[in-house]
Amino acid sequence: MSCPKCVEGYELPGEPAGSIHADYHGAYLAPGPPDGQKGIAVVFLTDGFGLPLKNCKIMADKIAERVGCDVWVPDYFAGRPPVPLNAMNMPDKADQIPTMWDWIKFIFINGIPVLPGIIRNRPSVVAVRLASFFALLKEKKSYGKIGAVGYCFGGATAVRLSSTGLINSVVICHPSSFTIDEVRAIKVPSSWVCPEVDIFLAHQVRLDAEAALATKKETDPSVEYEFKDYPGTQHGFAARPNHKYPELVEAHDQALDQTVNWLKKTLIPEVPSTA
């Protein structure tokens, strides 16, 4: 699904340092440092803009450097992301709520035109593409653990991926729509990045998701979780902060810190103390 906030944003500064790999269905690879973690990897699930928006690649580069592992950004839209780059504008802060007129303009300018792309990339189709991508990683790489981080469309995809056994940890950033049953099915530690205002994650849904994981942890302590709220932010801030607002850039950076810290905590083995 999409919304006015999904097609708003701002490109991050800098240029990607990794490369596209045709033999991995066109995925982008941000390689880990030479002295990094060879046995782990992270899969970065983009928002609706997909690989054409360089933000995902720049963020993947940062995660690769800071976690110290390979980070893959799969082309799970098969080269045709549902939201075109020319639909992107500046994101808003939490107190800038779309008016009725904003919604009407969105429906006719952005909503209806992207509908075929949403259908083309519906969850059942994306699941098959990702299964093929993970099969390639298993065939050609020797990763012992794989984490995932997803934004918006990728956030909802990450929720569903968390029940498949394909990943060992997940970070979910302002996801699009999901069901509480899908949350209950999560099998891996999860960290949630929550904006103050999110058209797809109403506060009650956020509370229900947290309550579902709390109940699950009572019977399965291995399924750790955390929810972090970012005051003043809107849906999209963790992937596309508006640099005109320093507080949004700071929140974006903090969300990236949250992602890095969670992936390190849940993927990298602890070194036994020699003391």
Side-chain angles (χ1 to χ4, degrees), residues 29-41:
L29 171 62
D35 59 347
Q37 302 288 330
K38 302 302 181 185
I40 67 172

PDB file of all heavy atoms in Angstrom, residues 29-41:
ATOM      1  N   LEU A  29      24.771  -4.702  -3.353  1.00  0.00           N
ATOM      2  CA  LEU A  29      25.587  -5.208  -2.246  1.00  0.00           C
ATOM      3  C   LEU A  29      26.480  -4.114  -1.704  1.00  0.00           C
ATOM      4  O   LEU A  29      27.279  -3.520  -2.442  1.00  0.00           O
ATOM      5  CB  LEU A  29      26.457  -6.381  -2.703  1.00  0.00           C
ATOM      6  CG  LEU A  29      27.519  -6.853  -1.690  1.00  0.00           C
ATOM      7  CD1 LEU A  29      26.868  -7.345  -0.402  1.00  0.00           C
ATOM      8  CD2 LEU A  29      28.406  -7.940  -2.297  1.00  0.00           C
ATOM      9  N   ALA A  30      26.322  -3.839  -0.410  1.00  0.00           N
ATOM     10  CA  ALA A  30      27.258  -3.002   0.330  1.00  0.00           C
ATOM     11  C   ALA A  30      28.148  -3.960   1.112  1.00  0.00           C
ATOM     12  O   ALA A  30      27.717  -4.527   2.119  1.00  0.00           O
ATOM     13  CB  ALA A  30      26.519  -2.062   1.272  1.00  0.00           C
ATOM     14  N   PRO A  31      29.368  -4.212   0.636  1.00  0.00           N
ATOM     15  CA  PRO A  31      30.200  -5.227   1.290  1.00  0.00           C
ATOM     16  C   PRO A  31      30.691  -4.785   2.655  1.00  0.00           C
ATOM     17  O   PRO A  31      30.949  -3.602   2.894  1.00  0.00           O
ATOM     18  CB  PRO A  31      31.365  -5.397   0.314  1.00  0.00           C
ATOM     19  CG  PRO A  31      31.435  -4.098  -0.424  1.00  0.00           C
ATOM     20  CD  PRO A  31      30.026  -3.593  -0.524  1.00  0.00           C
ATOM     21  N   GLY A  32      30.802  -5.736   3.562  1.00  0.00           N
ATOM     22  CA  GLY A  32      31.364  -5.446   4.867  1.00  0.00           C
ATOM     23  C   GLY A  32      32.856  -5.194   4.761  1.00  0.00           C
ATOM     24  O   GLY A  32      33.484  -5.516   3.742  1.00  0.00           O
ATOM     25  N   PRO A  33      33.448  -4.602   5.788  1.00  0.00           N
ATOM     26  CA  PRO A  33      34.892  -4.327   5.773  1.00  0.00           C
ATOM     27  C   PRO A  33      35.691  -5.630   5.738  1.00  0.00           C
ATOM     28  O   PRO A  33      35.194  -6.682   6.165  1.00  0.00           O
ATOM     29  CB  PRO A  33      35.123  -3.559   7.069  1.00  0.00           C
ATOM     30  CG  PRO A  33      33.974  -3.929   7.953  1.00  0.00           C
ATOM     31  CD  PRO A  33      32.812  -4.181   7.047  1.00  0.00           C
ATOM     32  N   PRO A  34      36.931  -5.572   5.215  1.00  0.00           N
ATOM     33  CA  PRO A  34      37.760  -6.783   5.111  1.00  0.00           C
ATOM     34  C   PRO A  34      37.931  -7.529   6.430  1.00  0.00           C
ATOM     35  O   PRO A  34      38.021  -8.756   6.444  1.00  0.00           O
ATOM     36  CB  PRO A  34      39.099  -6.244   4.592  1.00  0.00           C
ATOM     37  CG  PRO A  34      38.748  -4.978   3.880  1.00  0.00           C
ATOM     38  CD  PRO A  34      37.603  -4.386   4.647  1.00  0.00           C
ATOM     39  N   ASP A  35      37.990  -6.791   7.530  1.00  0.00           N
ATOM     40  CA  ASP A  35      38.179  -7.421   8.835  1.00  0.00           C
ATOM     41  C   ASP A  35      36.862  -7.562   9.589  1.00  0.00           C
ATOM     42  O   ASP A  35      36.850  -7.708  10.819  1.00  0.00           O
ATOM     43  CB  ASP A  35      39.167  -6.608   9.678  1.00  0.00           C
ATOM     44  CG  ASP A  35      38.694  -5.167   9.897  1.00  0.00           C
ATOM     45  OD1 ASP A  35      37.749  -4.736   9.199  1.00  0.00           O
ATOM     46  OD2 ASP A  35      39.262  -4.488  10.764  1.00  0.00           O
ATOM     47  N   GLY A  36      35.735  -7.557   8.848  1.00  0.00           N
ATOM     48  CA  GLY A  36      34.429  -7.585   9.483  1.00  0.00           C
ATOM     49  C   GLY A  36      33.906  -8.977   9.776  1.00  0.00           C
ATOM     50  O   GLY A  36      34.657  -9.960   9.799  1.00  0.00           O
ATOM     51  N   GLN A  37      32.603  -9.056   9.979  1.00  0.00           N
ATOM     52  CA  GLN A  37      31.920 -10.299  10.341  1.00  0.00           C
ATOM     53  C   GLN A  37      31.616 -11.099   9.075  1.00  0.00           C
ATOM     54  O   GLN A  37      30.751 -10.732   8.286  1.00  0.00           O
ATOM     55  CB  GLN A  37      30.612  -9.983  11.074  1.00  0.00           C
ATOM     56  CG  GLN A  37      30.780  -9.145  12.325  1.00  0.00           C
ATOM     57  CD  GLN A  37      31.412  -9.928  13.454  1.00  0.00           C
ATOM     58  OE1 GLN A  37      31.243 -11.141  13.566  1.00  0.00           O
ATOM     59  NE2 GLN A  37      32.138  -9.237  14.309  1.00  0.00           N
ATOM     60  N   LYS A  38      32.318 -12.197   8.862  1.00  0.00           N
ATOM     61  CA  LYS A  38      32.151 -12.985   7.638  1.00  0.00           C
ATOM     62  C   LYS A  38      30.933 -13.899   7.694  1.00  0.00           C
ATOM     63  O   LYS A  38      30.418 -14.303   6.663  1.00  0.00           O
ATOM     64  CB  LYS A  38      33.405 -13.823   7.371  1.00  0.00           C
ATOM     65  CG  LYS A  38      34.686 -13.007   7.251  1.00  0.00           C
ATOM     66  CD  LYS A  38      34.584 -11.975   6.148  1.00  0.00           C
ATOM     67  CE  LYS A  38      35.870 -11.177   6.006  1.00  0.00           C
ATOM     68  NZ  LYS A  38      35.747 -10.088   5.016  1.00  0.00           N
ATOM     69  N   GLY A  39      30.458 -14.219   8.878  1.00  0.00           N
ATOM     70  CA  GLY A  39      29.389 -15.201   8.993  1.00  0.00           C
ATOM     71  C   GLY A  39      27.995 -14.629   9.055  1.00  0.00           C
ATOM     72  O   GLY A  39      27.029 -15.372   9.206  1.00  0.00           O
ATOM     73  N   ILE A  40      27.870 -13.302   8.958  1.00  0.00           N
ATOM     74  CA  ILE A  40      26.540 -12.705   9.037  1.00  0.00           C
ATOM     75  C   ILE A  40      26.305 -11.753   7.871  1.00  0.00           C
ATOM     76  O   ILE A  40      27.243 -11.303   7.204  1.00  0.00           O
ATOM     77  CB  ILE A  40      26.323 -11.962  10.375  1.00  0.00           C
ATOM     78  CG1 ILE A  40      27.223 -10.725  10.464  1.00  0.00           C
ATOM     79  CG2 ILE A  40      26.551 -12.869  11.556  1.00  0.00           C
ATOM     80  CD1 ILE A  40      26.922  -9.855  11.670  1.00  0.00           C
ATOM     81  N   ALA A  41      25.053 -11.460   7.622  1.00  0.00           N
ATOM     82  CA  ALA A  41      24.658 -10.504   6.593  1.00  0.00           C
ATOM     83  C   ALA A  41      23.349  -9.860   7.003  1.00  0.00           C
ATOM     84  O   ALA A  41      22.637 -10.361   7.880  1.00  0.00           O
ATOM     85  CB  ALA A  41      24.515 -11.189   5.236  1.00  0.00           C
TER      86      ALA A  41
END
